[in-house]
Amino acid sequence: MNAPLKLGQSIVRREDARLLTGRGRYTDDTVPAGTACVLFVRSPYAHARLNGIETGAAAAAPGVAAVYTGRDLEADGVGHLPTVSEIKDEAGNRHREPRHLPMAPDRARHVGDIVAMVVADTLDQARDAAELLEIDWEPLPAVVTAAQALAAGAPLVHDDVPGNLMCHWGKGDAAAAEAALARAAHVTRLAIRSPRQVVHYLETRAAWSSWDAAGELVTVTLSSQGVQIPHRLMCERVLNIPKEKLRLVTEDVGGGFGPKFPISAEATLVAWATRKLGRGLRWTAERGEMSMSDSHARDLVAEGALALDADGRFVGLTVRAQANYGAYVSMFAPTIPTTGLAKVISGLYRIPAIRVDFDCAFSNTVPVDAIRGAGKPEALFLLERLVDLAAHETGRDPAELRRLNLLGPDDMPYAAASGYTYDAADCRRLFETALATADVAGFGARRAASEAAGLRRGLGLACHLHGTGGIADEHAVIEVRPDRLVARVGTQSQGQGHETVFAQVLSAALGVPVDRIEVRQGDSRTIPRGGGTGGSSSTIISGTTLTRAADVVIQRGRDLAAERLEAAVADIAYRDGVFEVVGTDRRVGLFALAEAKPFEGDALFADKIESFPTGVMVCEAEVDPETGAVRIDRLAEIGDCGVVVNPRLLAGQLHGGIVHGLGNALMEEAVYDDEGQLLSATLMDYALPRAGDVPSIAVATIETPSPNNMLGLKGVGELSINGAPAAVANAVLDALRPLGVRHIDMPITAQKVWQALQANSVSAPRPAT
């Protein structure tokens, strides 16, 4: 790492030595001594009117500095937590977005809704004081599922939202899609339910603050996926204060995956109360509290219909869905299930007519937003299950049906009927590479061996893709100092390895060793512009912008070198960290130039954020028909991620997405009872994959550069999670199909498998021993 690097070289992550030896700076680890503790009092009811809160006894308790309620927010004119994305119905009406204050002043709308805030010297004192609050609750009827919420006469979550309908949203040509289904030789239909899920990152959300009385400045350090958007929203829309009076800082983050991106009620309240009290505060979510406050995802019910002509070619697709948005509209939520699904619902196939319709509903549950994949894993689960079913219903091999309908390189760029344009892909080469890597030719022998042991083995395929997104408000700055480069970016690492990747990009652009490059992020004062990290686009956004800023560094360095070397600028060349006069031995190093006076180069994002990485996943699963237990035995993922910066880190991203997807497919589900109580709020009841659940994973890539950005990059962080649930499901259902089982929804637990087998009254006896 002490020599210049090129794109495509595998190097270890620079940050790992610091993180693995206990030198990481996670939010809760950096709190100054003497900081007051915050406890948020949350609703135990899914829906209840808040007739009043008597705070006197709690406020007088030992060590208590303050007790606040939603009425205090109203008195201070604190605003609503807004969205930054939107959807519209076909009449052009924006989605309904009822008021969402950081603390509910009059009505709690889900279990976990904040109704009071206690500040005390210690957390135990805050807990004791919270017990003294006298809250006058009036429980109200609750709706938990989208179907319940949209039913005629259902209790209203918000009085100003008739029928609990947040929006009816559609995409695609309805007439063309219906005509395709009408004339089709065969139509395969499937209804799915994609369960609600929670992200259990290692580090729960946290925030602590400090107060500078002289400057009337509140500084909040928080675990986030980017500080600039929450900073802007807090100042302009919620707290209504000048931007220079609030500073947000994020250092190391122990996992984000989506829920650490939106503006949070807790961090906002910490900032607000810090100013009122004139002292620093701290809060860290407990694991059970996190499950009731962090945004959930994937609560979707959908019906799909895939139409084929007599030759097996896809001619049309329709999807009708109900999306459960929870009690409020979270920051990115409007577009997550809707455009998230539409971006990828054509898969890697040529489907000339597509129509998607959504009914988006409010319910008395935790709000949903983006979680890794952001609407796409459930979309591709539906599509790839339809493709498998269509193959079997028409007497075709699933692989052959896919081959027949795959897009080719000559189709690129491909304008999908869902309204999005794929930039570059070679789906056929990707598909054949995946089958060869997975040794599909040897599957028959492995199936026979499983059956000899009394087990059922299935093979599952999933052709998948991702559409990168995010907010590209990037202004990258590179400062040249005598000893190093300091790069400031507006994206935010949560474990992806940004310090390594961005340094590698700069090393390639400037010919400087990565050891002399420092990457800074996460400070709204020193890096005021940025869009944070989400949508698998950080390397596209910051990588390309840093490359442009590096060009500016070279340009400004040439001017300084020309003056230093007494030559014309046109005669100055730059290579591997050195400026030289062409045809002479006169030269000066980049860092030597900065000894007289440091200088910098900067750039704004100037490319397209959109890219469509593609993948094909092959899974083999064994099922025990006596117990329903599923074991994933083999798994291969071949991805087309454009130009690869660091193959080692890319493989890590693919592995992580696959494991996340295995959890989604086999075990994860946030379960509510009929009264809106979350039954899976802790890891005693919410299952996550362990090492023993994960097989050896084969990953490889092919490369078709994206034409949408100067480096040919595509995003990779969410690609494999989009395919894993479908690949696993297709493998399990392939094993069970001979036993009469057509479909099982996620999570495909042993209980569900066993029940499906009993319902079909078919079993496979073990051989005699």
Side-chain angles (χ1 to χ4, degrees):
M1 304 213 316
N2 58 3
L5 298 175
K6 302 298 182 184
L7 300 187
Q9 288 184 245
S10 285
I11 62 171
V12 297
R13 298 188 348 155
R14 305 171 67 210
E15 49 269 73
D16 283 356
R18 172 171 56 83
L19 300 178
L20 294 173
T21 55
R23 290 177 287 136
R25 292 184 57 81
Y26 298 99
T27 300
D28 193 59
D29 299 331
T30 60
V31 183
T35 305
C37 296
V38 170
L39 178 76
F40 293 109
V41 180
R42 300 178 183 274
S43 171
Y45 297 99
H47 199 191
R49 186 167 288 110
L50 191 58
N51 291 324
I53 302 179
E54 176 52 54
T55 63
V64 172
V67 178
Y68 299 117
T69 70
R71 296 301 183 190
D72 297 305
L73 296 183
E74 291 184 320
D76 279 6
V78 173
H80 151 84
L81 298 175
T83 66
V84 296
S85 71
E86 67 177 14
I87 54 175
K88 296 180 179 180
D89 63 22
E90 291 193 306
N93 300 308
R94 188 178 186 268
H95 70 265
R96 294 181 175 90
E97 190 175 326
R99 185 176 75 152
H100 179 200
L101 293 185
M103 274 192 294
D106 52 11
R107 198 157 132 197
R109 291 179 168 85
H110 67 87
V111 172
D113 219 354
I114 299 173
V115 297
M117 177 183 184
V118 181
V119 182
D121 292 337
T122 70
L123 188 57
D124 283 341
Q125 289 174 330
R127 287 178 176 137
D128 290 341
E131 294 291 333
L132 301 176
L133 290 173
E134 297 179 19
I135 304 178
D136 183 2
W137 293 107
E138 181 184 338
L140 300 171
V143 288
V144 177
T145 68
Q148 291 172 354
L150 296 170
L156 295 181
V157 179
H158 299 275
D159 293 338
D160 55 347
V161 181
N164 295 316
L165 183 65
M166 181 267 243
C167 190
H168 177 81
W169 181 87
K171 189 83 170 175
D173 189 330
E178 291 299 332
L181 266 64
R183 68 173 184 271
H186 180 83
V187 177
T188 292
R189 301 181 187 273
L190 178 67
I192 68 161
R193 174 184 172 271
S194 182
R196 179 176 284 243
Q197 290 164 0
V198 180
V199 167
H200 280 280
Y201 18 58
L202 288 174
E203 180 204 27
T204 61
R205 286 189 301 115
W208 64 267
S209 64
S210 62
W211 168 248
D212 175 8
E216 297 183 337
L217 172 68
V218 173
T219 298
V220 178
T221 298
L222 70 161
S223 182
S224 82
Q225 291 178 225
V227 297
Q228 290 84 5
I229 297 173
H231 179 261
R232 174 171 57 83
L233 294 177
M234 283 187 196
C235 294
E236 295 178 357
R237 305 280 295 278
V238 185
L239 300 178
N240 301 307
I241 58 175
K243 290 183 179 180
E244 63 271 16
K245 300 300 182 182
L246 175 66
R247 180 187 183 189
L248 299 186
V249 174
T250 291
E251 296 188 77
D252 290 323
V253 181
F257 304 106
K260 289 183 181 176
F261 210 157
I263 180 174
S264 75
E266 294 87 355
T268 303
L269 290 170
V270 165
W272 168 76
T274 298
R275 183 171 296 279
K276 290 181 73 69
L277 292 171
R279 65 182 295 189
L281 309 177
R282 67 180 298 175
W283 167 78
T284 298
E286 296 181 348
R287 185 65 59 178
E289 181 183 24
M290 184 207 82
S291 295
M292 296 185 294
S293 60
D294 287 23
S295 51
H296 294 181
R298 312 215 209 291
D299 195 336
L300 181 78
V301 175
E303 296 181 0
L306 178 63
L308 291 74
D309 67 15
D311 295 325
R313 299 189 184 279
F314 302 153
V315 295
L317 174 69
T318 62
V319 177
R320 293 181 174 85
Q322 292 180 338
N324 186 344
Y325 275 73
Y328 306 102
V329 188
S330 187
M331 193 169 89
F332 293 107
T335 56
I336 298 305
T338 50
T339 63
L341 179 145
K343 274 186 177 182
V344 299
I345 197 60
S346 189
L348 306 189
Y349 311 114
R350 187 181 297 101
I351 306 177
I354 295 176
R355 175 65 185 185
V356 175
D357 286 283
F358 268 85
D359 284 327
C360 305
F362 287 111
S363 71
N364 295 114
T365 60
V366 173
V368 303
D369 209 309
I371 285 179
R372 193 177 200 170
K376 300 165 189 71
E378 54 268 43
L380 290 160
F381 178 88
L382 174 61
L383 176 64
E384 289 297 302
R385 287 294 300 126
L386 280 168
V387 173
D388 257 31
L389 290 171
H392 296 310
E393 290 171 4
T394 60
R396 293 178 169 89
D397 177 78
E400 290 302 324
L401 184 61
R402 287 176 169 86
R403 278 194 183 98
L404 180 65
N405 288 282
L406 281 173
L407 294 166
D410 292 342
D411 293 312
M412 300 296 149
Y414 177 69
S418 55
Y420 300 89
T421 299
Y422 302 173
D423 50 348
D426 189 343
C427 301
R428 294 168 186 163
R429 181 160 68 101
L430 194 68
F431 188 74
E432 299 305 332
T433 304
L435 298 190
T437 302
D439 185 28
V440 170
F443 170 72
R446 294 189 292 274
R447 170 174 269 179
S450 295
E451 290 179 353
L455 304 173
R456 295 285 177 167
R457 179 178 286 262
L459 176 71
L461 306 176
C463 297
H464 55 282
L465 71 163
H466 185 73
T468 56
I471 297 177
D473 184 27
E474 181 79 343
H475 177 211
V477 179
I478 304 169
E479 183 182 356
V480 184
R481 299 182 180 181
D483 59 339
R484 67 191 187 277
L485 300 178
V486 177
R488 298 193 293 272
V489 296
T491 50
Q492 178 68 52
S493 179
Q494 312 116 55
Q496 298 97 326
H498 288 189
E499 291 177 41
T500 303
V501 170
F502 297 157
Q504 195 165 348
V505 168
L506 279 182
S507 180
L510 291 172
V512 173
V514 295
D515 285 346
R516 300 189 72 175
I517 300 172
E518 177 185 344
V519 177
R520 295 183 181 178
Q521 55 188 348
D523 188 332
S524 64
R525 183 173 66 183
T526 61
I527 312 170
R529 289 188 61 173
T533 286
S536 298
S537 57
S538 289
T539 307
I540 294 173
I541 294 171
S542 290
T544 60
T545 312
L546 283 170
T547 301
R548 294 182 189 280
D551 290 340
V552 177
V553 165
I554 294 171
Q555 177 185 338
R556 292 177 180 170
R558 289 177 69 211
D559 292 338
L560 295 173
E563 182 178 345
R564 176 86 165 262
L565 299 173
E566 298 180 341
V569 173
D571 293 333
I572 301 295
Y574 178 81
R575 184 176 67 240
D576 293 338
V578 175
F579 295 94
E580 62 183 12
V581 180
V582 176
T584 76
D585 61 356
R586 287 184 293 159
R587 59 181 55 196
V588 61
L590 177 65
F591 297 110
L593 274 181
E595 291 175 357
K597 181 180 181 181
F599 64 100
E600 64 182 34
D602 67 321
L604 301 175
F605 180 70
D607 294 83
K608 292 182 179 179
I609 195 172
E610 295 84 6
S611 73
F612 282 85
T614 53
V616 175
M617 193 175 298
V618 185
C619 176
E620 289 187 29
E622 278 189 332
V623 181
D624 185 337
E626 290 190 354
T627 65
V630 173
R631 183 178 74 89
I632 306 303
D633 184 54
R634 297 166 64 93
L635 200 147
E637 163 77 340
I638 309 300
D640 178 355
C641 309
V643 172
V644 176
V645 176
N646 187 316
R648 183 191 295 263
L649 270 63
L650 182 141
Q653 287 291 308
L654 292 176
H655 287 172
I658 288 168
V659 174
H660 197 160
L662 294 184
N664 290 182
L666 297 175
M667 59 196 71
E668 294 188 50
E669 182 173 17
V671 179
Y672 281 94
D673 68 12
D674 292 339
E675 295 181 351
Q677 293 294 327
L678 183 61
L679 304 180
S680 53
T682 74
L683 294 178
M684 293 291 289
D685 302 296
Y686 189 95
L688 293 172
R690 307 180 191 185
D693 300 312
V694 182
S696 178
I697 300 171
V699 299
T701 60
I702 69 171
E703 183 177 303
T704 56
S706 173
N708 287 351
N709 62 80
M710 66 182 299
L711 297 179
L713 305 170
K714 300 177 184 176
V716 68
E718 295 165 277
L719 175 63
S720 56
I721 193 177
N722 293 349
V728 169
N730 280 339
V732 173
L733 272 300
D734 183 56
L736 298 178
R737 188 172 57 86
L739 305 181
V741 179
R742 182 177 188 263
H743 181 71
I744 300 175
D745 276 330
M746 297 183 287
I748 305 174
T749 61
Q751 179 186 28
K752 284 185 179 180
V753 172
W754 187 86
Q755 289 174 337
L757 290 172
Q758 300 311 303
N760 284 277
S761 301
V762 178
S763 63
R766 291 183 183 273
T769 58

